Amino acid sequence: MNEWTNTGREPDPLPSSLPGPTAPGLGEPQAEVEETLKRIQSHKGVIGTMVVNAEGIPIRTTLDNSTTVQYAGLLHHLTMKAKSTVRDIDPQNDLTFLRIRSKKHEIMVAPDKEYLLIVIQNPCE
Amino acid sequence: MAPKQKKKTSRGKKRLKPVLAASEDMEPVNMESMGHPEIYPLVLTTKTQEIFNCRIDEDVTDEQPYKLINKEDIFEDLRNRAAVSDFHPVKKIVQEYPGNELLLVYDKDFKYGLNFYLIATEEGKENYLNPPEVPEEQEEYKEHIPEDVYIYKPPVSKPWVSLGSEKEIEEESVTESTKQITYMISRKRSEFGAPIKFSDQNASSVKDAYIECTAYPDKNFTLKQLEKDVGMQVIPQIKDISTQTKWTYPKNATTQYYPREFSEEEKETLKQSKPLVDFLNNASISVEIALQQNEIMNTFIDDWKYLAEEEGTFGDKTDTHLKEYQSFTDLHSPTEKMITCVSWHPTIYGLIAVSVAVRLSFEDRVHFSGKLLLQPSLILFWSFSDPIHPQLMLESPDDIFCFKFCPSDPNIIAGGCINGQIVMWDITAHADRIENIKAGGSRSKRATLKPMFLLEPESNKEAMYIRHCAVSSIENGHKKVITDIHWLSDTFEINRMGSVFENRSGICCQLVTCSADCTICFWDIRPQKPLTPQTTEKKKEESIEIPFDVPSTFLHLDLSWKPLTKVRLSKGETSLDHCPTKISLNEDHLLCKTQDKMLAQSKTEKAEEMNPYHNLESGMANLLKPIDDFCTKFFVGTEEGEVIYTDWKMEKDPETGRLMSKKPVSHHTIHDGTVHTIQRSPFYNDIILTVGGWNVAIWKEGVMTGPLLQSCCAPKRYTSGHWSLTRPGVFYIGREDGYIDIWDLLEKTHEPAQSQNICITMITYIKPWIFSSKQQFIATADYYGTLHILEIPWTLSRPSTNEMASVNHYFEREVKHLEYVEQRKKIREQEKKEMELEMAKKKVKTYQKSKEQMQAELKMDYESYLELEKTVLINLGLIKVTEKGSYMEVM
């Protein structure tokens, strides 16, 4: 890592990194997170939504703890497997979305480098 | 001509004498025409024959038909006899004949025309004498001797022609290249005959004791095989492996783990991190697309499959009527009876129990009470195999109005009496008897050709009267008729307070009854710990003799059975109470399937140990765990037609400190008559059917505003009802004129889908039952004591696809409708209020007019009234127009 040497004045720290008309600073990203999740949850038929980190530890969820932990653990493995499958076939390819449709509902997984967004929806009424 | 003489052939070849022709100018005739130009036929007279010694059959015989004649002799004969000589014609030939002897052959068969012939050439002579060489002569010979055998001619050696084979032979032949050396070894002459001594000697020890020629690979003779003929066969690869495990001792190993989780603070920090925000923004786009796709359309649905209706129907699809299967009547009872309650035996096929009661009003009962005491009140067990004789008869002290089989043991029956007692029966001793009816029934099925009344039961068995084994205490129980009895589920039990605990005994051990004395009682069939001061009194009571054939299962309960709790349904401020007729608990055993499962479970348990009902004390001492979140509310239907939703849990009255039953949660008066059916749907635990009076209502537990469906008044009173066990939207209602109305919620909700006449009188009870996927029966009891068994047709028993979902949908719609109605009510109320306000405002406005104006108005009104009066009177003819009026004014 570069070593900082105190040579004179340091640049002033910026108040907030996000440009926004109303910028309470740290509160906004949290509100955004909440708002996004709420929006997803309010879709028709959605049973549950959860955000899981790269190791499978849930961060945010709308279901109860035991179910969340089970879903997180299982889907994390499955997503890793799917990702490695796609990349084995073509190393320049990558997994963007995973949908598992079962008799009762559909599980949607949006993977990322660090997180996983899992949504469970009941498609047919 | 003159006969020629021949010489014998024993001398070999001899020259014949040439034969001269008699006249030279006459050409001899030869046998050229016959292919033998050297043959000249001759006639030889006897004289000539004598001269030449060729006399026929003397010198010339068959064996030797020829003769060699010298030429000179023939010339001599010719000179002697000149033209007379027989040889005259052939004179020239003889002269020309080269040889010395001519051959004369005797032609016995006159082959050439004459008896002799002469061969004119040497060659011919040779040929004749040596026949094998000449084929022509051989032919002749053959003609002479037809049976000639093949004469072997030895091969004549020819000079060898070399074709080069001698070289090969020379090459192949083995010749000695070198001269062989011969050795002759012999011993010394002196040693001949001397004794010989043999001894052993190791060949390798002595030098030069032997000479060997060791084999060595000679390179001259190493052959390289370039071609090899080998056979191959393909077989699967087989591998034999064996292992030996080391079996020490089995060990239990367990692992317990818990998932990793973030603490709350970590979660908060993560939530605020920028990467999460970005990720969510990106991910939510694709997720929302996917969600919307699903909302638009279900792409995986198989339309073709959903289009099809269920195929493979049994029987006619158009057949929608209930078919009469059998009917049972007790012919032996002296008085007229009616059936009050019907119950199918949970396990045995074809067994149904009916409780009969005397068909008298209360006054008549009191009047005939003496007579009634003598007749036993019965529960009859009917079997399909025997329509005339009931299989079992259970005796009770008085008429039974409701009874139930115990779900965990079908040999225990609890019934509610008209006098307020609960009666218990234990028919375990007779269980095999009724189970074996099945075998008897199958035998009688073969004889179904006979009419029913000719069918005799196999064994002439007397109908067994089985006495009850316990009745409840008269003072402490109900005071009036017990209208409904239920077994509590074996998953929970309650205590005195009404709190719910888990049931560890695994059997149904508690009952709930409701009676016309406005109480609902909970009973426990297990022996209760007796309170000490009462023991002496109880002992006195218990000294009653018990008949020997009654099982002692419930001996502890007999006559001393007290209810666990009593719930009084009070109406609040007034002293009147609700009179419950039927109750419906949360967990009811309507579903036959669960019954079977539970019975199976309990049966396996019982196989191992004693019947738990005979050992009821065992489960008492356990400390029980209370069940939380148990819904202790239940529905009650009353005599006045109300449906009450109340709680059985007792609460302590803050003022008096006594245990008080709670107030009902909701209370509706829907029916115009007694509610005689409250039933939960076998498919939905929170949908309740209530039938009473002239209409039907369907309720949903939790929706307190009103029933989901309330039918309009029917022309006839509804007297019984039951849900269908297989179709979620179908229920059966019995009417007082003997009709069954079949309602189908998916078809029509304002009236029954079907109506069918069963009997002539009021239907008192309906109970459907499933036997198999193809057979479903409905038992209908009527007022005259006959039990009709009808078969439910395919259409009514088989649910259509998605029926449950559709009915669910219907109920949800109705709930929404009710909510909407509520809302509308509120809106309406609001509107009403607004309107009233406006009206009030208007009134206020009018009131603000000045007094003068009002007076003027009043006057005007009065005048217009007078005018009106006048016109009316004129019309009536009481006042004459104009003239009289003015006269009156003048006056």
Side-chain angles (χ1 to χ4, degrees):
Chain A
M1 292 301 284
N2 301 331
E3 283 180 40
W4 289 102
T5 52
N6 201 349
T7 56
R9 278 183 55 201
E10 286 172 49
D12 295 321
L14 296 166
S16 80
S17 52
L18 292 167
T22 59
L26 293 168
E28 236 224 38
Q30 188 179 357
E32 225 179 289
V33 163
E34 292 291 337
E35 193 213 306
T36 315
L37 288 174
K38 208 179 267 180
R39 201 174 68 233
I40 293 176
Q41 181 70 23
S42 64
H43 269 268
K44 178 176 157 207
V46 170
I47 299 169
T49 316
M50 57 189 99
V51 180
V52 174
N53 86 335
E55 292 178 333
I57 308 172
I59 296 171
R60 269 280 280 140
T61 176
T62 59
L63 302 170
D64 59 285
N65 199 29
S66 49
T67 317
T68 305
V69 155
Q70 193 178 24
Y71 266 105
L74 294 167
L75 284 169
H76 168 252
H77 282 304
L78 187 65
T79 314
M80 289 301 119
K81 190 79 180 173
K83 197 178 212 167
S84 65
T85 307
V86 167
R87 294 194 69 145
D88 272 347
I89 293 168
D90 181 7
Q92 284 163 352
N93 207 353
D94 197 6
L95 180 71
T96 51
F97 205 76
L98 183 65
R99 274 164 94 160
I100 303 161
R101 196 181 182 104
S102 72
K103 264 199 276 193
K104 293 187 186 167
H105 31 249
E106 181 159 338
I107 304 169
M108 287 169 240
V109 180
D112 186 66
K113 264 190 146 169
E114 296 163 31
Y115 302 101
L116 227 65
L117 173 65
I118 302 169
V119 179
I120 305 155
Q121 186 195 28
N122 185 6
C124 37
E125 291 299 326
Chain B
M1 295 282 173
K4 307 291 176 212
Q5 279 180 356
K6 271 191 191 170
K7 284 193 184 148
K8 293 198 176 161
T9 51
S10 57
R11 279 194 264 166
K13 287 185 185 173
K14 267 197 161 178
R15 290 184 177 250
L16 283 170
K17 284 184 183 165
V19 178
L20 291 168
S23 59
E24 286 168 6
D25 43 304
M26 198 166 84
E27 274 294 322
V29 178
N30 66 350
M31 285 289 108
E32 201 169 350
S33 59
M34 280 180 82
H36 297 285
E38 70 275 4
I39 290 171
Y40 291 95
L42 275 179
V43 176
L44 295 179
T45 55
T46 336
K47 188 92 168 82
T48 321
Q49 284 176 22
E50 280 173 15
I51 295 168
F52 286 96
N53 294 324
C54 58
R55 284 181 284 269
I56 296 172
D57 292 328
E58 279 174 38
D59 298 319
V60 179
T61 56
D62 283 339
E63 291 87 28
Q64 202 186 319
Y66 58 87
K67 209 152 168 98
L68 289 161
I69 299 169
N70 270 329
K71 212 168 164 180
E72 296 298 325
D73 294 333
I74 295 173
F75 280 136
E76 207 181 306
D77 185 51
L78 278 169
R79 274 193 300 258
N80 292 338
R81 295 196 295 161
V84 184
S85 170
D86 290 328
F87 288 97
H88 189 72
V90 294
K91 182 181 173 181
K92 216 182 195 179
I93 304 300
V94 175
Q95 277 172 342
E96 285 168 4
Y97 192 76
N100 247 353
E101 287 183 339
L102 278 96
L103 188 66
L104 184 75
V105 183
Y106 167 55
D107 195 0
K108 185 179 175 195
D109 295 319
F110 288 91
K111 189 176 164 194
Y112 297 105
L114 300 170
N115 57 352
F116 279 90
Y117 61 86
L118 193 74
I119 293 172
T121 55
E122 281 281 322
E123 204 182 324
K125 187 175 85 177
E126 296 276 343
N127 287 342
Y128 185 80
L129 289 172
N130 304 312
E133 284 195 57
V134 177
E136 294 170 350
E137 251 194 315
Q138 196 161 17
E139 266 186 46
E140 285 177 33
Y141 227 140
K142 271 188 187 162
E143 284 170 353
H144 281 296
I145 309 159
E147 60 270 335
D148 200 4
V149 233
Y150 172 68
I151 296 167
Y152 166 67
K153 277 190 188 165
V156 176
S157 61
K158 295 180 208 158
W160 180 59
V161 176
S162 165
L163 291 169
S165 55
E166 67 267 24
K167 279 184 214 153
E168 284 175 28
I169 293 168
E170 263 179 49
E171 279 169 24
E172 293 291 322
S173 63
V174 175
T175 51
E176 288 173 5
S177 53
T178 53
K179 193 177 166 218
Q180 284 183 340
I181 307 165
T182 53
Y183 287 95
M184 194 184 104
I185 304 163
S186 71
R187 294 172 76 204
K188 273 201 302 198
R189 176 114 187 125
S190 57
E191 286 173 8
F192 275 18
I196 299 168
K197 215 199 250 172
F198 286 115
S199 66
D200 284 336
Q201 194 183 46
N202 202 350
S204 54
S205 58
V206 177
K207 200 179 154 194
D208 291 338
Y210 70 100
I211 297 171
E212 68 171 348
C213 299
T214 49
Y216 65 94
D218 190 354
K219 288 229 169 56
N220 300 332
F221 296 104
T222 53
L223 290 174
K224 192 174 172 188
Q225 197 169 18
L226 291 173
E227 257 183 40
K228 198 170 176 181
D229 210 357
V230 171
M232 295 222 296
Q233 182 177 11
V234 176
I235 54 163
Q237 210 173 13
I238 301 169
K239 217 167 169 184
D240 277 332
I241 297 176
S242 57
T243 57
Q244 174 101 19
T245 55
K246 194 169 147 200
W247 175 262
T248 47
Y249 56 92
K251 246 194 299 194
N252 281 335
T254 56
T255 328
Q256 181 161 2
Y257 58 91
Y258 57 89
R260 281 184 295 171
E261 281 172 5
F262 283 133
S263 62
E264 286 301 319
E265 303 90 39
E266 284 175 333
K267 282 189 190 172
E268 289 299 316
T269 43
L270 276 170
K271 251 192 253 182
Q272 289 151 23
S273 61
K274 189 168 186 302
L276 183 69
V277 177
D278 293 337
F279 157 70
L280 269 181
N281 287 334
N282 294 334
S284 60
I285 299 167
S286 41
V287 163
E288 285 190 331
I289 291 173
L291 286 171
Q292 277 161 7
Q293 277 176 356
N294 281 334
E295 282 163 27
I296 294 168
M297 183 179 155
N298 183 4
T299 49
F300 293 99
I301 215 170
D302 187 3
D303 293 318
W304 188 245
K305 193 169 106 181
Y306 280 94
L307 193 65
E309 272 291 318
E310 244 185 59
E311 1 71 50
T313 53
F314 248 66
D316 207 0
K317 236 186 176 167
T318 56
D319 178 24
T320 50
H321 277 266
L322 304 166
K323 279 173 285 200
E324 173 96 17
Y325 187 81
Q326 217 169 15
S327 67
F328 300 102
T329 318
D330 188 16
L331 305 164
H332 302 299
S333 68
T335 50
E336 289 143 356
K337 298 261 177 104
M338 69 172 181
I339 296 178
T340 49
C341 187
V342 172
S343 185
W344 293 86
H345 196 280
T347 45
I348 301 175
Y349 169 88
L351 199 64
I352 186 167
V354 230
S355 66
V356 285
V358 184
R359 204 188 323 145
L360 296 171
S361 67
F362 185 69
E363 283 178 20
D364 291 332
R365 265 179 199 268
V366 171
H367 192 69
F368 292 113
S369 57
K371 198 165 117 189
L372 289 175
L373 269 176
L374 298 169
Q375 290 158 20
S377 317
L378 302 166
I379 292 185
L380 304 168
F381 274 64
W382 294 102
S383 163
F384 280 2
S385 55
D386 193 356
I388 304 171
H389 305 276
Q391 302 301 316
L392 279 180
M393 299 210 259
L394 305 180
E395 265 190 348
S396 83
D398 222 333
D399 284 341
I400 301 278
F401 268 74
C402 55
F403 72 98
K404 281 262 158 45
F405 283 95
C406 174
S408 19
D409 184 4
N411 291 325
I412 310 272
I413 302 146
C417 238
I418 197 172
N419 59 1
Q421 281 183 313
I422 300 185
V423 189
M424 299 285 289
W425 288 272
D426 183 2
I427 55 169
T428 337
H430 307 276
D432 44 341
R433 198 158 162 262
I434 45 174
E435 271 175 26
N436 289 337
I437 298 169
K438 220 177 170 181
S442 63
R443 261 178 273 157
S444 68
K445 267 184 193 165
R446 267 192 247 134
T448 45
L449 295 169
K450 280 195 211 159
M452 289 286 239
F453 55 85
L454 283 180
L455 271 176
E456 291 287 332
E458 284 294 324
S459 56
N460 202 10
K461 42 189 178 191
E462 280 286 321
M464 297 279 295
Y465 284 85
I466 299 173
R467 197 182 169 277
H468 54 89
C469 59
V471 286
S472 65
S473 157
I474 300 173
E475 307 97 36
N476 301 334
H478 289 289
K479 307 274 186 302
K480 287 202 194 157
V481 59
I482 293 181
T483 48
D484 201 12
I485 185 166
H486 285 277
W487 287 90
L488 285 183
S489 158
D490 60 354
T491 52
F492 68 95
E493 59 175 68
I494 63 172
N495 71 348
R496 287 182 189 281
M497 292 279 295
S499 346
V500 178
F501 294 90
E502 62 170 32
N503 183 347
R504 292 253 184 95
S505 49
I507 51 166
C508 292
C509 50
Q510 290 186 333
L511 295 163
V512 55
T513 58
C514 69
S515 121
D517 65 354
C518 311
T519 53
I520 295 171
C521 288
F522 288 87
W523 306 76
D524 196 319
I525 59 174
R526 293 171 299 188
Q528 287 154 14
K529 287 169 192 164
L531 305 164
T532 37
Q534 289 180 358
T535 39
T536 46
E537 292 171 37
K538 273 198 179 162
K539 273 184 185 164
K540 280 186 197 164
E541 282 183 46
E542 283 170 19
S543 62
I544 299 168
E545 288 263 330
I546 295 139
F548 65 95
D549 60 343
V550 170
S552 59
T553 330
F554 298 113
L555 195 57
H556 52 270
L557 297 171
D558 203 8
L559 288 175
S560 58
W561 197 5
K562 274 197 242 173
L564 203 58
T565 41
K566 257 192 198 177
V567 176
R568 183 161 278 275
L569 293 172
S570 56
K571 274 194 188 171
E573 298 86 32
T574 60
S575 58
L576 292 169
D577 297 328
H578 296 286
C579 172
T581 45
K582 279 283 181 337
I583 55 177
S584 170
L585 299 169
N586 204 1
E587 292 191 28
D588 234 348
H589 283 280
L590 269 187
L591 291 171
C592 316
K593 287 176 196 170
T594 50
Q595 263 181 329
D596 287 332
K597 272 186 209 162
M598 296 182 76
L599 283 170
Q601 264 180 345
S602 56
K603 265 186 187 164
T604 50
E605 280 172 33
K606 271 164 200 168
E608 297 147 14
E609 50 180 40
M610 258 171 58
N611 191 347
Y613 281 101
H614 297 290
N615 198 11
L616 287 165
E617 286 187 33
S618 56
M620 282 299 289
N622 298 342
L623 277 175
L624 298 167
K625 197 182 84 176
I627 302 178
D628 307 319
D629 308 331
F630 196 87
C631 180
T632 54
K633 300 190 180 62
F634 59 103
F635 278 88
V636 183
T638 67
E639 212 177 351
E640 284 92 37
E642 295 153 336
V643 176
I644 303 172
Y645 187 51
T646 181
D647 198 337
W648 75 58
K649 233 175 174 167
M650 309 282 264
E651 57 181 10
K652 270 208 162 154
D653 196 12
E655 301 161 11
T656 55
R658 271 178 27 216
L659 289 171
M660 280 263 300
S661 45
K662 287 186 181 168
K663 263 192 171 173
V665 177
S666 78
H667 162 253
H668 297 270
T669 312
I670 299 290
H671 301 285
D672 308 314
T674 320
V675 174
H676 54 74
T677 304
I678 291 195
Q679 216 181 60
R680 297 203 179 230
S681 168
F683 295 90
Y684 311 100
N685 210 20
D686 51 358
I687 302 286
I688 294 117
L689 173 77
T690 57
V691 183
W694 278 265
N695 56 2
V696 180
I698 295 182
W699 306 75
K700 189 172 166 101
E701 192 169 1
V703 173
M704 291 302 131
T705 45
L708 295 184
L709 170 74
Q710 185 184 347
S711 78
C712 56
C713 282
K716 295 281 174 184
R717 213 149 41 108
Y718 286 143
T719 49
S720 58
H722 205 284
W723 283 101
S724 159
L725 296 171
T726 47
R727 290 192 63 183
V730 173
F731 50 93
Y732 306 96
I733 311 276
R735 300 209 311 224
E736 65 171 350
D737 54 354
Y739 274 75
I740 282 193
D741 281 349
I742 301 167
W743 287 69
D744 187 353
L745 287 175
L746 293 176
E747 213 178 299
K748 286 187 248 193
T749 53
H750 61 282
E751 59 172 21
Q754 251 183 282
S755 206
Q756 192 178 339
N757 190 8
I758 307 293
C759 53
I760 50 171
T761 173
M762 183 172 89
I763 293 179
T764 52
Y765 212 88
I766 293 181
K767 194 96 195 240
W769 196 251
I770 304 172
F771 279 119
S772 64
S773 62
K774 296 163 199 161
Q775 230 186 6
Q776 255 194 48
F777 291 110
I778 183 164
T780 323
D782 70 6
Y783 192 63
Y784 281 168
T786 313
L787 179 71
H788 304 268
I789 311 278
L790 304 149
E791 192 167 346
I792 299 178
W794 180 260
T795 45
L796 282 176
S797 61
R798 203 100 174 98
S800 54
T801 46
N802 304 328
E803 185 163 331
M804 195 149 162
S806 318
V807 174
N808 212 10
H809 212 68
Y810 166 72
F811 288 137
E812 278 170 17
R813 275 204 322 261
E814 291 300 319
V815 170
K816 281 188 188 150
H817 173 245
L818 277 175
E819 285 168 12
Y820 174 73
V821 165
E822 279 301 307
Q823 277 185 5
R824 287 301 295 182
K825 263 191 195 167
K826 286 181 193 159
I827 293 172
R828 278 278 148 73
E829 276 182 27
Q830 254 199 330
E831 279 180 4
K832 216 174 172 184
K833 276 184 194 164
E834 283 170 10
M835 271 179 66
E836 275 174 8
L837 276 173
E838 278 188 35
M839 291 280 286
K841 276 182 191 167
K842 275 189 196 163
K843 278 185 189 165
V844 167
K845 276 185 193 163
T846 53
Y847 201 69
Q848 278 173 357
K849 284 183 195 165
S850 62
K851 268 196 176 172
E852 294 87 9
Q853 274 183 319
M854 279 183 62
Q855 275 188 349
E857 276 180 17
L858 279 169
K859 201 178 180 185
M860 274 181 64
D861 283 335
Y862 184 62
E863 280 175 17
S864 62
Y865 168 70
L866 283 175
E867 289 285 332
L868 182 65
E869 194 188 8
K870 216 186 202 178
T871 49
V872 168
L873 287 171
I874 288 169
N875 285 339
L876 285 173
L878 295 168
I879 303 176
K880 287 228 174 92
V881 189
T882 56
E883 294 94 4
K884 279 225 171 140
S886 56
Y887 179 70
M888 290 289 271
E889 273 179 44
V890 166
M891 293 282 291

